[in-house]
Amino acid sequence: MKTQHLHHQASKHLTAAIMGVLVLMAVVLPVASQVSPARASDGPSLLADYDQWNIVSFGDATLTAESEGAVAVGGTLRFHQTQVATQHTTDSGIGLLARKVDMAGSSGQLQVNQGNVRLGDSTGLDILNRDGNNASVHTKVVAQGTGYDSTPDIYASNSDDDASTVVDAGLFASLFSQQKAVDLAATVSQRVGSNTNGVPATVGISGGTATISLTKGETNYWDASAQQLSGLVEIKFEGDTPSVATGTFLIVSISGTNVTLNFNMAGGA
């Protein structure tokens, strides 16, 4: 069981892809006619750029509860007393990647339980691996001039990197292409609700709970609105869950301009 909370703003549409422990958030432009519909067997290849990440946001993101895996934010990161990478990092050992961090808009601690912190821009921040007594400690990112013990802070619980390692201005762009994400979202949009190009997931919503039944061995699709998702407190899988091992995937196409994921995902990893 895991809990993932993400608040993400975008100008058009968002797409979320859930593959095992993956949630992908990407801005979606209107569907391009030249993008070919994907096949059901394309689940792994559709998500290949993101399969080591729980959350990838090309815009700003505010984290308010835990993510089992690594998180990447291409815009400005804000957080409120939470933790990421509780179970998994990427192969390169990254637990948290963010282009910028807004400490003034954050509160409490963002704990990175597994892996390293990587930032594209450290303006207004101090990256410290020594405390006030000059003792060697795990890496912390704090507001400039506030000291190691200040909050809000980002704490890497198993890393002692310094600023020379933490700051990597081009890392996000080297890992993710927004144009590829837009093309992926367009492909997804063509498949949602299509009996010939996709397998619709069976979704029942009662109160704040969505119960989802998937077709095993297929890429399943759910067409959801931002308002619908924002009202959920729990998503449950009945029967098969998203799984790389069985080739069972769930891609959620989300329409809306203000998406809040604030629910518990139950029923397996």
Side-chain angles (χ1 to χ4, degrees):
M1 183 179 296
K2 67 174 179 176
T3 306
Q4 293 190 74
H5 297 206
L6 172 68
H7 180 73
H8 181 95
Q9 307 249 3
S11 59
K12 291 287 184 182
H13 299 278
L14 296 172
T15 192
I18 303 172
M19 182 187 71
V21 295
L22 171 69
V23 174
L24 160 68
M25 305 292 288
V27 175
V28 180
L29 299 180
V31 175
S33 59
Q34 69 271 22
V35 178
S36 299
R39 301 177 302 276
S41 60
D42 283 339
S45 61
L46 280 173
L47 307 175
D49 289 347
Y50 310 99
D51 64 4
Q52 295 187 38
W53 302 83
N54 266 43
I55 296 170
V56 174
S57 170
F58 285 89
D60 299 343
T62 298
L63 303 180
T64 61
E66 73 179 46
S67 170
E68 285 189 0
V71 172
V73 178
T76 298
L77 168 67
R78 299 174 183 87
F79 58 87
H80 301 289
Q81 191 60 41
T82 187
Q83 53 187 333
V84 299
T86 60
Q87 303 293 330
H88 310 287
T89 65
T90 66
D91 286 345
S92 59
I94 299 173
L96 174 69
L97 168 61
R99 274 188 170 158
K100 294 184 179 180
V101 178
D102 177 13
M103 287 296 180
S106 302
S107 64
Q109 183 175 87
L110 173 56
Q111 183 167 318
V112 182
N113 289 274
Q114 306 282 336
N116 302 308
V117 174
R118 294 292 181 261
L119 304 177
D121 185 351
S122 61
T123 302
L125 304 172
D126 284 332
I127 300 166
L128 307 172
N129 60 2
R130 290 189 175 274
D131 63 14
N133 296 316
N134 202 36
S136 179
V137 288
H138 292 312
T139 303
K140 262 193 180 184
V141 181
V142 297
Q144 193 169 42
T146 58
Y148 186 84
D149 293 325
S150 66
T151 56
D153 70 285
I154 299 172
Y155 176 65
S157 62
N158 62 357
S159 173
D160 58 359
D161 286 342
D162 61 16
S164 66
T165 306
V166 169
V167 179
D168 188 335
L171 184 57
F172 187 92
S174 73
L175 293 172
F176 307 108
S177 162
Q178 186 159 12
Q179 185 57 55
K180 286 180 67 176
V182 168
D183 292 343
L184 168 61
T187 299
V188 169
S189 295
Q190 288 190 344
R191 290 202 60 188
V192 170
S194 168
N195 291 325
T196 57
N197 291 325
V199 179
T202 301
V203 182
I205 296 178
S206 177
T209 299
T211 302
I212 302 177
S213 297
L214 303 177
T215 300
K216 186 176 181 179
E218 297 284 357
T219 300
N220 296 254
Y221 291 85
W222 174 22
D223 189 12
S225 70
Q227 182 179 11
Q228 187 179 48
L229 284 185
S230 297
L232 296 178
V233 295
E234 183 178 46
I235 286 183
K236 296 166 59 178
F237 292 100
E238 247 183 18
D240 292 292
T241 61
S243 167
V244 176
T246 64
T248 306
F249 303 91
L250 171 63
I251 296 180
V252 185
S253 178
I254 308 171
S255 60
T257 57
N258 190 348
V259 177
T260 299
L261 300 184
N262 190 35
F263 48 75
N264 174 46
M265 298 175 67

